[in-house]
Amino acid sequence: MPALSNNIENRVRKLPKPSNATQGLQPLFEAVSNAMFALEDRLEKNVANGRIDIRITNLSSPDDLVIVIVDRGIGLDAKRYGAFCEIDTDFKQARGGKGVGRLFWLDAFSSIQVESTYAEADAIRRRAFDFVLNNLEQVVPRYEGVPDDGDRGTTITFKGLRTKEYGAHFPRRSDTFLRYFSAHFIADFLIGGGPRLFIDLDGDLTEYPKAVADLTVGKPLETTFQHKEFGTLAIVGFTCQAEASTGLEGRHQLHLLANGRTVETRKVDNLLGVTNLERDGQQDLVFHGCVSGEYLDLRVNEGRTAFNLPERTLKDISRACMEIVKERLLPDQVAKFAKERRDNYVAFVERYPTFGFDTDDTQLKRVPFHAMAPEEFASGLIKYQIRREEDRQNSLQELIDALDLENVPIDLEASVAKAAKEIQNSEQLALAQHVVRRKLALEMLDKLIRRIRMRSGREDDHHLERTLHAFICPMGIMGDNVSELKSRAHDLWVVDERLAFTRAFSSDKRLDAVLAEGGSSDRPDLLVWNLAYGLGVTAAENPEVVDVSEPLRSMMVVEFKKPGRTVYAKAEDNIEQQITRYLAQLKGGEIETFDRAKVRVAEDCIFHCYVVADIRGDLDQQLSSWATTANGQGRVRPLNNAYRGQIEVIQWQDLINDAWMRNRATLTAAGLSRNRPTSMNSKVQAPIEADEDED
């Protein structure tokens, strides 16, 4: 009867082509695995005494590449030779073999020669043949008879890469080749018990598993667990020197095995969390875990290069395994990391209180386990923060809508009370963030002042005075310039709380650039002609805009002097004369805002003038006739005759202390504490474990 025939050339043409180095090496991996199986079949429990030799020459030239694989295994006896000649054989099915590995040889290499000695009855026989890509005859015999020596084994010789796909992805550097070779067989090398393997790469010899086993620290860590979906999974874990992960993505690895062979290696740095492991007095170690189970054995593709599983399932397997690793194999180190992680989170919330809208335990479950840095905590919590705000807004809208109904709900009072509480809690967090941000600014300012004072006596350090000025307010700008983003990034609240949101100011600008007409090259450190809702006059519809229909009847002038400065010997260093020189140009003039609007300075304008300095040396003498301020530390003098207002000299430390007290008062009055119980919104989604990817 007619029978179906195999079209080998078409079958090989339809095989998946390599797209990376691992896949490019797969035909070689198949041959090495066959050599391992041959040794197992011959030596059985003594397979560790076996040896495989791989000689590679001309690695850098795809056309001239030669690979010779020699084993002293059982050889191609009649049964095994028959299986070799059968496509899709089930001879190695129990070991996960698909019977197609040899087809990958045909796809990859231009020339394939096989020589094998084997036992037949009581004699040793030898056969040699060429393996060719041909529909009529793939196995072309070259020799059949008695060998020159009596030892069994098989030698396979590959020459040249046949296709451009393999030529493009087969490694051409020795270090790259060894990296991928080690990664593929690392589970075999780590677990041990297999034959020794020697690779001669153009004269350089590498021995396995010694090259990998020497990197392990301590005994293997083993456990087995039952999963409701994946069945029984066994994990053998190893702590290794960091070199064991050379060439692999990431530090910590999970090797997914099928039938004892590595199919996929996955980075699990994020799932483990701990960056550097410790064991037996050694540090900076990495984790390698080998996972096996029937579920994986039954779901590997025919080339044994990947699992027939969606990526989500592979991630679920990795996640489940790493939870067991953390719980059973590395509990102490994971607990130490978890404590450090919690401490980092507490510090994060203290600095960014708006993220403390739920308990620490709840929030930590919402962020990936590897999260340690502020940006990692923030990125993990932001979606929950947005959901919380959205739910709060929806609840408030529902309450507003209920007020429009003819029949007011019976529980309206309770709903209103709940909504008010939620608003209060939300605003408390926002206020806490505001207070913490100011606290950091004051700490930095205080350190900056101390550093500058330490350099006292070096009167040429004028740039330090400018540094301090720039910290409080950017220099060389007009605050009402909407295109200048840095004009909004000032900390003038340090000087006066009313200046926190002002835009009508100039910082280190020449007076001839500030005034519509006249003015000199004098550059007041700070001029403020609108104190937001304070002394200035603002337009009702836009508080940031000065109402130019009325003249300015109040202005502020501020000068910053270098902390620690003691020498004021020059004529221009006289503080009162410096201030009145500014006032002479401002009084009765017109300030031109950025949008060309003009606002007149009234003749009877009151000038609030401040000089921030350390009162010591020449300045102490210069101010000796001035009145002292209420705390006895500053100096004050009223402006007489042509000008109204006063000049007050404030010590740097008093300026900082006053800002500290205002900030502390805000914190205390609000009753803010991150450890207070929070039930911000009952509709916030219940915490779930963060979706942690291996990569």
Side-chain angles (χ1 to χ4, degrees):
M1 294 180 66
L4 297 177
S5 61
N6 282 320
N7 186 328
I8 298 300
E9 291 184 28
N10 191 50
R11 179 85 157 81
V12 170
R13 187 165 51 248
K14 290 183 177 180
L15 288 174
K17 307 306 175 188
S19 59
N20 55 49
T22 298
Q23 294 172 0
L25 286 165
Q26 193 60 38
L28 172 61
F29 295 158
E30 290 287 342
V32 174
S33 295
N34 288 345
M36 291 179 176
F37 291 149
L39 285 166
E40 289 176 6
D41 288 345
R42 180 181 179 182
L43 302 177
E44 297 180 348
K45 294 182 179 180
N46 296 317
V47 67
N49 296 329
R51 171 171 175 154
I52 298 172
D53 287 278
I54 303 173
R55 296 191 299 273
I56 301 174
T57 54
N58 304 321
L59 180 63
S60 61
S61 176
D63 294 334
D64 302 320
L65 174 69
V66 178
I67 303 174
V68 181
I69 305 169
V70 181
D71 71 70
R72 293 304 177 198
I74 199 165
L76 287 174
D77 56 19
K79 180 172 62 173
R80 288 169 175 79
Y81 181 63
F84 184 95
C85 294
E86 179 184 351
I87 302 301
D88 297 318
T89 179
D90 60 0
F91 180 71
K92 296 179 183 176
Q93 185 176 18
R95 289 167 162 170
K98 304 293 184 179
V100 297
R102 301 172 313 293
L103 298 185
F104 284 92
W105 298 0
L106 293 173
D107 197 24
F109 300 108
S110 300
S111 170
I112 305 168
Q113 296 178 346
V114 181
E115 297 182 16
S116 185
T117 55
Y118 56 94
E120 185 176 89
D122 294 331
I124 299 297
R125 303 282 295 176
R126 175 175 177 263
R127 60 165 49 101
F129 57 88
D130 294 331
F131 190 39
V132 298
L133 181 58
N134 187 309
N135 278 336
L136 297 179
E137 189 178 28
Q138 296 84 45
V139 179
V140 182
R142 288 191 296 111
Y143 176 85
E144 187 89 26
V146 179
D148 295 333
D149 61 63
D151 200 3
R152 286 179 285 176
T154 300
T155 299
I156 300 173
T157 303
F158 299 129
K159 294 181 179 180
L161 294 174
R162 192 179 70 85
T163 65
K164 63 180 182 181
E165 290 87 359
Y166 280 96
H169 295 290
F170 202 95
R172 301 188 185 188
R173 290 167 48 101
S174 297
D175 57 343
T176 305
F177 176 91
L178 291 174
R179 201 161 61 231
Y180 282 99
F181 189 91
S182 299
H184 183 80
F185 289 105
I186 192 168
D188 302 86
F189 299 149
L190 286 172
I191 294 174
R196 291 183 300 162
L197 195 153
F198 295 83
I199 298 181
D200 183 335
L201 266 167
D202 290 317
D204 293 330
L205 194 65
T206 303
E207 179 184 351
Y208 292 102
K210 186 177 185 300
V212 171
D214 287 349
L215 299 177
T216 61
V217 177
K219 295 181 179 179
L221 308 167
E222 301 183 39
T223 189
T224 301
F225 72 102
Q226 191 74 22
H227 192 278
K228 62 181 180 181
E229 181 179 353
F230 310 129
T232 302
L233 293 175
I235 304 174
V236 182
F238 300 86
T239 47
C240 309
Q241 296 174 23
E243 187 181 345
S245 295
T246 300
L248 299 172
E249 183 184 0
R251 292 176 56 81
H252 307 301
Q253 312 294 330
L254 200 64
H255 309 285
L256 303 183
L257 281 58
N259 305 107
R261 290 178 53 184
T262 301
V263 177
E264 287 198 20
T265 294
R266 305 180 74 87
K267 182 185 85 170
V268 291
D269 294 30
N270 290 351
L271 293 177
L272 182 58
V274 186
T275 302
N276 301 312
L277 296 173
E278 301 177 2
R279 194 176 186 190
D280 295 347
Q282 297 193 44
Q283 299 179 339
D284 194 31
L285 303 179
V286 299
F287 176 81
H288 281 257
C290 302
V291 181
S292 58
E294 184 180 11
Y295 183 90
L296 296 174
D297 293 343
L298 298 176
R299 290 166 175 81
V300 65
N301 67 7
E302 69 173 6
R304 284 181 285 187
T305 59
F307 290 103
N308 296 320
L309 292 169
E311 178 64 17
R312 171 51 61 184
T313 301
L314 292 171
K315 286 186 175 182
D316 289 342
I317 292 172
S318 300
R319 189 177 295 110
C321 289
M322 291 309 297
E323 286 301 315
I324 296 297
V325 168
K326 290 188 290 187
E327 177 186 334
R328 300 183 186 178
L329 304 187
L330 302 169
D332 294 340
Q333 300 195 57
V334 170
K336 179 180 177 182
F337 169 82
K339 182 181 182 304
E340 183 181 356
R341 175 175 179 257
R342 175 179 287 271
D343 292 342
N344 284 7
Y345 171 77
V346 170
F348 161 73
V349 175
E350 287 177 349
R351 177 166 289 197
Y352 303 100
T354 53
F355 288 99
F357 53 85
D358 220 324
T359 64
D360 290 355
D361 289 338
T362 299
Q363 298 294 68
L364 284 169
K365 288 180 181 179
R366 287 171 170 163
V367 299
F369 186 70
H370 72 276
M372 288 285 280
E375 58 270 21
E376 293 171 332
F377 290 129
S379 62
L381 293 174
I382 190 66
K383 63 182 178 181
Y384 295 98
Q385 188 180 50
I386 292 174
R387 290 174 190 170
R388 168 178 166 270
E389 289 301 318
E390 287 293 319
D391 287 344
R392 187 171 68 87
Q393 292 292 337
N394 292 336
S395 297
L396 291 175
Q397 188 59 52
E398 290 174 4
L399 180 59
I400 293 172
D401 293 342
L403 296 176
D404 294 333
L405 299 176
E406 292 185 6
N407 297 320
V408 177
I410 297 177
D411 61 347
L412 179 62
E413 181 179 353
S415 298
V416 171
K418 179 183 177 183
K421 181 63 176 176
E422 289 175 350
I423 293 174
Q424 181 184 23
N425 289 337
S426 180
E427 295 308 314
Q428 275 190 330
L429 289 175
L431 185 56
Q433 183 70 56
H434 172 74
V435 170
V436 168
R437 184 240 173 247
R438 287 191 169 190
K439 174 178 176 290
L440 294 175
L442 290 173
E443 288 176 349
M444 179 65 73
L445 186 59
D446 190 39
K447 290 180 180 179
L448 184 59
I449 291 172
R450 292 176 187 273
R451 284 293 180 90
I452 293 174
R453 283 202 187 107
M454 289 172 63
R455 296 174 61 90
S456 62
R458 298 185 58 173
E459 300 302 331
D460 57 332
D461 285 346
H462 299 299
H463 66 281
L464 295 178
E465 182 179 315
R466 295 175 59 84
T467 299
L468 202 55
H469 180 163
F471 184 89
I472 297 174
C473 181
M475 299 177 67
I477 64 169
M478 295 284 285
D480 57 357
N481 182 352
V482 294
S483 66
E484 183 65 76
L485 294 179
K486 68 178 182 179
S487 69
R488 296 179 177 269
H490 65 69
D491 286 300
L492 290 175
W493 56 270
V494 173
V495 177
D496 191 310
E497 197 66 47
R498 295 169 297 178
L499 305 182
F501 305 106
T502 186
R503 298 287 171 258
F505 68 87
S506 71
S507 176
D508 192 47
K509 295 285 287 186
R510 290 166 56 113
L511 283 174
D512 55 8
V514 175
L515 296 171
E517 295 180 3
S520 68
S521 61
D522 288 340
R523 309 168 76 99
D525 284 345
L526 184 65
L527 287 180
V528 184
W529 55 90
N530 167 32
L531 307 185
Y533 295 96
L535 301 179
V537 180
T538 61
E541 65 278 5
N542 188 349
E544 292 191 359
V545 177
V546 177
D547 184 356
V548 297
S549 63
E550 292 290 332
L552 289 174
R553 302 192 182 280
S554 179
M555 286 190 69
M556 181 181 288
V557 180
V558 182
E559 279 292 311
F560 301 111
K561 303 300 181 183
K562 175 190 166 187
R565 178 179 174 183
T566 59
V567 179
Y568 292 79
K570 299 178 182 178
E572 59 265 28
D573 292 335
N574 185 282
I575 286 176
E576 186 172 10
Q577 292 180 12
Q578 182 183 18
I579 295 295
T580 55
R581 189 167 63 248
Y582 297 156
L583 303 187
Q585 298 172 69
L586 291 169
K587 181 181 175 182
E590 288 184 320
I591 294 176
E592 186 174 58
T593 63
F594 181 76
D595 59 1
R596 300 299 183 184
K598 298 177 181 179
V599 55
R600 184 169 61 86
V601 181
E603 289 288 342
D604 58 351
C605 179
I606 298 175
F607 293 99
H608 303 272
C609 307
Y610 300 96
V611 177
V612 185
D614 283 345
I615 303 176
R616 58 177 64 177
D618 292 346
L619 186 59
D620 190 21
Q621 179 63 32
Q622 186 184 136
L623 303 178
S624 60
S625 62
W626 292 34
T628 58
T629 55
N631 67 355
Q633 299 299 314
R635 303 289 188 272
V636 61
R637 169 167 286 187
L639 293 168
N640 298 316
N641 302 322
Y643 309 108
R644 300 180 62 195
Q646 67 178 21
I647 304 174
E648 182 176 350
V649 181
I650 303 172
Q651 300 256 32
W652 274 110
Q653 198 57 54
D654 288 338
L655 182 76
I656 300 302
N657 289 344
D658 180 68
W660 270 116
M661 286 190 292
R662 283 186 274 116
N663 203 51
R664 191 176 298 113
T666 303
L667 184 66
T668 303
L672 296 171
S673 173
R674 66 171 301 275
N675 293 320
R676 292 176 59 193
T678 57
S679 56
M680 300 299 178
N681 195 325
S682 59
K683 290 188 177 182
V684 174
Q685 179 175 325
I688 58 174
E689 295 293 340
D691 185 14
E692 186 106 44
D693 289 343
E694 302 101 304
D695 52 4

